[in-house]
Amino acid sequence: MWQARSMSSDQVYFLYGTESGNSEKVASIGCKSAIALGYDAELVDMGQLDMESLHDWHNLFMVIGTNGEGEMPLNAESAWEDAQANQLTGLSELK
């Protein structure tokens, strides 16, 4: 399971959910751009995410593409189910 490395308010996370790879490409471009601007940025696959890590994050971009007729990507399903099961609260610091 993926967990955050360090907790800085300048750190930016690019979280992606994808079936075809397109959302990963878009998130990767954003992540590389943030790094070029001097941010500590990290690309995160939703399928590897520990949802409790969101409590420690301050800056998040989510890139999620749908599949077929609007279905959720497979790598995003477990994160979504975890978020629903845990009824995540206390994310007021997340932008």
Side-chain angles (χ1 to χ4, degrees):
M1 186 70 53
W2 182 93
Q3 292 198 9
R5 295 180 290 167
S6 64
M7 303 305 159
S8 163
S9 61
D10 290 334
Q11 192 157 10
V12 182
Y13 296 93
F14 290 83
L15 185 63
Y16 67 89
T18 188
E19 196 73 27
S20 65
N22 291 334
S23 295
E24 181 179 8
K25 289 176 189 172
V26 170
S28 179
I29 291 168
C31 186
K32 289 174 184 174
S33 296
I35 290 169
L37 290 170
Y39 288 93
D40 180 11
E42 191 164 345
L43 187 64
V44 182
D45 180 333
M46 285 188 77
Q48 301 298 313
L49 178 67
D50 172 6
M51 292 301 282
E52 290 299 317
S53 293
L54 293 177
H55 291 287
D56 298 320
W57 294 5
H58 295 275
N59 304 297
L60 171 67
F61 287 90
M62 293 180 74
V63 183
I64 303 171
T66 59
N67 186 42
E69 295 185 23
E71 291 89 13
M72 186 178 309
L74 290 176
N75 74 326
E77 282 186 32
S78 63
W80 175 249
E81 290 168 0
D82 190 29
Q84 287 183 314
N86 292 317
Q87 297 180 359
L88 289 176
T89 58
L91 299 176
S92 61
E93 295 296 317
L94 189 60
K95 298 174 196 159

